[in-house]
Amino acid sequence: MDSMQSEIAAAAARLVVEEGLEYGPAKRRAVKQLGLNARAALPDNDSIEDAVREYIAIFCGDTQPAELAALRKLALTWMERLSEFRPHLGGAVWHGTATRLSDIYVQLFCDDPKSAEIKLIEHDVDYTPRTVNGFNGDSVEALSLSSMSPELGEPIGVHLLVYDHDDLRGALKPDAKGRTPRGDLAAVRALVEDKE
């Protein structure tokens, strides 16, 4: 990675940690803040994640572990509530780079794509449906809601991404770093219990 991409990655990492931006918007805003051409070569997401880890280690080492633990605990609560839909936790909360400004992304693998939405309706959960790009590049339905974190004392965005049951096979392939890209209920429970 050249020095310009390193500079973009560092600026984007600050935006991810301090403002809770996702990687794509953080990279674009970093380019603008640095006064670079909009067509500047952007660092890949792995480079951004490395920069985020570095930023957290330097500036948030005293607060981030407790915030991450609180987010994982809240994610586990939602995964247990929706266990029939084979929930898997992904994103920064799974990978360990989340702060209190991060949202939680739970992927559900359903036999019937409307079943998760019906369950939320039956339990009077206020949510907003929308369409987002899924991990395989296709459009998927996302059910977005706000859930109070008792440990953090504030509401956290929770996004339930609804996939077909057959997508589960492809969801468990290791990422470019050889890591599991998402964790099931047992894996998340183990992370939470390890911190208690």
Side-chain angles (χ1 to χ4, degrees), residues 8-195:
I8 294 169
R14 184 184 57 73
L15 293 167
V16 168
V17 175
E18 292 184 5
E19 296 185 26
L21 290 182
E22 296 298 322
Y23 288 3
K27 287 190 250 187
R28 289 188 293 277
R29 189 171 328 153
V31 166
K32 190 180 272 188
Q33 285 180 348
L34 294 169
L36 301 173
N37 184 317
R39 293 187 176 156
L42 299 176
D44 62 17
N45 286 348
D46 287 341
S47 299
I48 299 295
E49 183 178 333
D50 292 342
V52 166
R53 287 186 189 284
E54 186 177 327
Y55 190 93
I56 287 171
I58 295 169
F59 299 106
C60 308
D62 56 338
T63 57
Q64 190 266 349
E67 293 173 0
L68 175 63
L71 292 171
R72 285 177 168 169
K73 194 169 183 181
L74 184 59
L76 180 61
T77 298
W78 280 99
M79 291 173 76
E80 288 171 340
R81 289 178 185 162
L82 300 167
S83 62
E84 67 200 84
F85 305 117
R86 301 163 201 87
H88 283 70
L89 178 63
V93 178
W94 170 248
H95 289 299
T97 57
T99 67
R100 70 184 319 119
L101 298 177
S102 302
D103 285 353
I104 296 170
Y105 292 88
V106 176
Q107 297 154 355
L108 306 175
F109 297 90
C110 307
D111 294 320
D112 173 9
K114 287 293 175 192
S115 56
E117 191 168 0
I118 291 168
K119 179 144 185 166
L120 294 180
I121 292 168
E122 287 173 350
H123 288 84
D124 293 323
V125 175
D126 188 23
Y127 67 93
T128 302
R130 55 196 182 99
T131 303
V132 299
N133 283 333
F135 63 80
N136 54 11
D138 296 337
S139 293
V140 297
E141 184 174 20
L143 310 172
S144 298
L145 55 102
S146 182
S147 185
M148 183 60 75
S149 167
E151 291 81 11
L152 298 175
E154 61 189 64
I156 302 296
V158 178
H159 307 282
L160 308 170
L161 284 66
V162 181
Y163 291 90
D164 187 80
H165 177 254
D166 292 340
D167 291 329
L168 185 54
R169 240 176 314 198
L172 301 178
K173 292 179 182 169
D175 66 11
K177 292 183 176 182
R179 304 173 303 181
T180 305
R182 52 198 53 81
D184 64 8
L185 190 53
V188 175
R189 189 176 286 126
L191 286 174
V192 169
E193 290 171 357
D194 184 48
K195 292 295 177 192

